[in-house]
Amino acid sequence: MRLPTPPDFSVASPSTALTALILALLGLADLTASSLPDEIFSFYWGSQAPIRCTFFFALTGYAYAFKPKGPLRGALHQASPWDNLNTSVVFTWSFLEMVSWFWIFITLREERRELAMRKAERKRAEENML
């Protein structure tokens, strides 16, 4: 795909340390959220999955489309801090996250449908008993 590989990650720096802390914080928040009761768990992840999937879809598209010599990078392009996102590391990470969050979204949707069907069956069973 001809995305540049950044050499910056081979040496520790303040920016990689900050990135590691942010990712660790997000990981701990996700682990904490995974221990919630089923009703809250379903609601929380049901709202997080489409947002995260959309974000990583946009990031993946940006990293690919605006790479050096990319399809949307014109001759009049001026350098900006956003150019640091056009690397193979960012593309690979965001692509894998996008695929994972899409899979989680589909799974949660199926579980929500099954839960609704079980609730409807229980309600019908209670009405028949009366």
Side-chain angles (χ1 to χ4, degrees):
M1 298 182 89
R2 299 183 185 168
L3 289 166
T5 302
D8 301 336
F9 291 119
S10 60
V11 179
S13 69
S15 61
T16 57
L18 178 64
T19 303
L21 285 174
I22 291 171
L23 290 174
L25 176 68
L26 290 173
L28 286 173
D30 288 352
L31 282 175
T32 304
S34 66
S35 65
L36 294 171
D38 286 340
E39 297 83 22
I40 299 170
F41 175 86
S42 178
F43 178 75
Y44 177 79
W45 289 113
S47 62
Q48 287 292 311
I51 292 169
R52 291 183 185 197
C53 186
T54 303
F55 174 78
F56 285 114
F57 179 78
L59 184 59
T60 302
Y62 180 82
Y64 179 76
F66 290 100
K67 66 183 178 181
K69 298 182 182 178
L72 296 179
R73 192 170 191 165
L76 301 176
H77 176 75
Q78 296 179 0
S80 73
W82 295 102
D83 290 343
N84 294 327
L85 293 176
N86 303 333
T87 64
S88 60
V89 172
V90 171
F91 176 81
T92 304
W93 173 66
S94 61
F95 180 77
L96 291 174
E97 286 284 331
M98 177 192 63
V99 170
S100 300
W101 282 108
F102 183 72
W103 178 54
I104 291 168
F105 173 70
I106 296 298
T107 303
L108 286 171
R109 194 173 67 175
E110 289 175 3
E111 286 179 2
R112 191 179 315 139
R113 184 180 39 212
E114 289 173 7
L115 182 64
M117 288 173 52
R118 276 188 261 143
K119 283 184 180 180
E121 287 175 10
R122 276 191 229 135
K123 188 176 180 179
R124 272 189 243 128
E126 287 177 3
E127 288 174 359
N128 289 340
M129 291 180 80
L130 297 175

